[in-house]
Amino acid sequence: MMDYPPTVRRLIESLRQLPSVGPRSAERLALHILRAEPALAQTLAASISGARDAVRPCERCGFYAETPVCEICAAADRDPHTVCIVEQPTDVITFEKSGAFKGLYHVLGGSLSPLDDIGPEELHIPKLINRLRGQGAREAILALNTDVKGETTTLYLARELRQLGIKVTRLATGISIGSPLEYADSLTLTHALGDRKEV
Amino acid sequence: MMDYPPTVRRLIESLRQLPSVGPRSAERLALHILRAEPALAQTLAASISGARDAVRPCERCGFYAETPVCEICAAADRDPHTVCIVEQPTDVITFEKSGAFKGLYHVLGGSLSPLDDIGPEELHIPKLINRLRGQGAREAILALNTDVKGETTTLYLARELRQLGIKVTRLATGISIGSPLEYADSLTLTHALGDRKEV
């Protein structure tokens, strides 16, 4: 049997490396790229290399940056005394979309996981401590995931950061606004009930 | 609010041009590209430009080729007297995977659609007729889609190609092998019943 020409097979193979792209979608994407205007392929290829070459972690907070220091760390109107600690760069965008936070961020790049050999050094926690000390932080907000590894990291960081004499807080847990109560899982509901407020 | 750096936003925008990639998937794909080994981005960008630059339609049959004539048309062991006429290059791969056909193909690139100004000239039908005459074809198998436009094209081609004095056939319609009878649509079932065979 005959197959696609080698360059097409290579393109399908490369696209399959992307998350949630199986053999059939890779083929569909590849054929779209071949059928569309040549400009689409040029722009796509250029933006992939462009982003990969230009983007690096901000040397202060670890968010995506095209300059040594990211736009958020460089902005004059952000409060350097409040630092929100998150696992991933994408979490920064989630906060920024809400518009609810005006301090600075610190991206750990993951959570503690002894089984995967990810300890405080791998998450640059000593660097975080130096940073909080250096910029005279008054509050560290822990905004990590609520899975087991995130919880372990929250507890570990709470203990370490309190020793700096700063306020250490974490996000409130409770039911989601706008989401029907029937979708709330038991653990969330237990937390929401425990933290109930008088109205 | 702050957003991703410009190169990341451009990457997300480019990925959204691909079929069935919405804003959330484009973001997820882009961040995967940024987080993965740099080799992934390099290979992906290179294979996109590589395929787009190298691949062109075979000048005989219209299938994908990296050389003026595709691998199938160039193969010595294919029967040039039987030509299977399909709408898209992908249909060639469907036939090749089955291993059931040893003749040559002809890719129309679509089906007749007067409303979209797609007539016989746009589908290179005059070229097809010259080709069939030139290589002494004895049979043309029409393997177009069974939608309205495909049917129109099948009827049009059947009339034109019969004038060449060659046998013109079309694929049998009927129930799918291995697919439960309850999934067969009424039209398919009507055809399958009409074409029933004695066993």
Side-chain angles (χ1 to χ4, degrees):
Chain A
M1 104 177 215
M2 294 286 181
D3 200 346
Y4 291 114
T7 50
V8 182
R9 293 205 298 272
R10 266 197 296 278
L11 175 56
I12 295 174
E13 209 36 64
S14 301
L15 290 165
R16 282 199 59 186
Q17 309 304 313
L18 296 174
S20 38
V21 176
R24 292 291 300 169
S25 345
E27 190 174 336
R28 210 180 56 241
L29 293 174
L31 299 180
H32 179 86
I33 291 169
L34 292 178
R35 274 198 284 249
E37 293 297 304
L40 181 135
Q42 281 158 14
T43 314
L44 187 58
S47 60
I48 290 169
S49 330
R52 198 64 184 80
D53 293 345
V55 175
R56 69 203 89 178
C58 164
E59 54 187 44
R60 278 191 214 155
C61 77
F63 180 58
Y64 295 126
E66 293 178 356
T67 42
V69 165
C70 76
E71 283 183 71
I72 300 176
C73 285
D77 61 344
R78 312 281 307 209
D79 170 17
H81 304 302
T82 315
V83 176
C84 180
I85 300 161
V86 295
E87 290 188 18
Q88 300 297 346
T90 41
D91 299 328
V92 171
I93 296 294
T94 308
F95 270 100
E96 288 299 298
K97 279 182 184 158
S98 78
F101 182 67
K102 295 294 171 209
L104 299 177
Y105 297 92
H106 196 88
V107 180
L108 295 177
S111 48
L112 293 172
S113 177
L115 287 179
D116 305 315
D117 275 332
I118 298 178
E121 290 289 341
E122 281 68 35
L123 300 181
H124 312 292
I125 290 177
K127 196 178 138 196
L128 164 66
I129 292 174
N130 281 335
R131 183 184 166 204
L132 292 175
R133 212 179 258 139
Q135 72 191 42
R138 293 184 203 130
E139 180 178 353
I141 303 172
L142 297 167
L144 310 182
N145 286 326
T146 51
D147 57 4
V148 175
K149 294 198 292 176
E151 277 302 304
T152 312
T153 316
T154 297
L155 295 176
Y156 175 85
L157 281 176
R159 203 182 55 202
E160 295 291 311
L161 303 185
R162 270 197 300 264
Q163 293 176 4
L164 302 176
I166 60 173
K167 190 167 151 190
V168 182
T169 57
R170 61 179 299 172
L171 294 184
T173 47
I175 54 168
S176 297
I177 295 166
S179 162
L181 197 66
E182 59 173 326
Y183 293 158
D185 63 287
S186 324
L187 201 60
T188 303
L189 211 55
T190 309
H191 275 264
L193 203 59
D195 293 344
R196 68 189 180 279
K197 294 194 290 183
E198 207 165 326
V199 286
Chain B
M1 97 174 221
M2 296 286 181
D3 201 346
Y4 291 114
T7 48
V8 181
R9 293 206 296 273
R10 266 197 296 278
L11 175 56
I12 294 173
E13 210 36 63
S14 302
L15 289 166
R16 281 199 59 186
Q17 309 305 314
L18 295 175
S20 40
V21 176
R24 294 289 300 167
S25 345
E27 191 176 335
R28 209 179 59 241
L29 293 175
L31 300 179
H32 179 86
I33 290 170
L34 293 177
R35 272 199 285 251
E37 293 297 305
L40 182 136
Q42 282 159 14
T43 313
L44 187 57
S47 59
I48 290 169
S49 331
R52 198 63 184 78
D53 294 345
V55 174
R56 74 204 85 177
C58 164
E59 55 186 42
R60 279 193 213 154
C61 76
F63 181 58
Y64 295 126
E66 293 178 358
T67 40
V69 165
C70 77
E71 284 183 71
I72 300 175
C73 286
D77 59 345
R78 314 277 312 205
D79 170 19
H81 304 301
T82 315
V83 176
C84 179
I85 298 162
V86 294
E87 290 187 18
Q88 301 298 343
T90 41
D91 299 329
V92 171
I93 296 293
T94 308
F95 270 101
E96 287 299 298
K97 278 181 184 159
S98 78
F101 183 67
K102 295 294 170 207
L104 299 178
Y105 297 93
H106 196 90
V107 180
L108 295 177
S111 47
L112 292 173
S113 177
L115 288 179
D116 304 315
D117 276 333
I118 298 178
E121 289 288 340
E122 282 66 36
L123 299 181
H124 312 294
I125 290 177
K127 196 178 137 196
L128 164 65
I129 292 174
N130 281 335
R131 184 184 166 205
L132 292 175
R133 213 177 259 139
Q135 69 191 41
R138 293 183 203 132
E139 179 176 354
I141 303 173
L142 296 167
L144 311 182
N145 285 326
T146 51
D147 57 4
V148 176
K149 294 198 293 177
E151 277 303 303
T152 312
T153 316
T154 296
L155 295 176
Y156 176 85
L157 281 176
R159 203 183 53 204
E160 294 292 310
L161 303 186
R162 269 197 302 262
Q163 294 175 5
L164 302 177
I166 60 174
K167 190 167 153 189
V168 182
T169 57
R170 60 178 299 173
L171 293 184
T173 48
I175 54 167
S176 298
I177 294 166
S179 164
L181 197 66
E182 59 172 327
Y183 294 158
D185 62 288
S186 323
L187 201 60
T188 303
L189 212 53
T190 309
H191 275 264
L193 204 58
D195 293 344
R196 67 190 180 279
K197 294 194 291 185
E198 206 165 329
V199 286

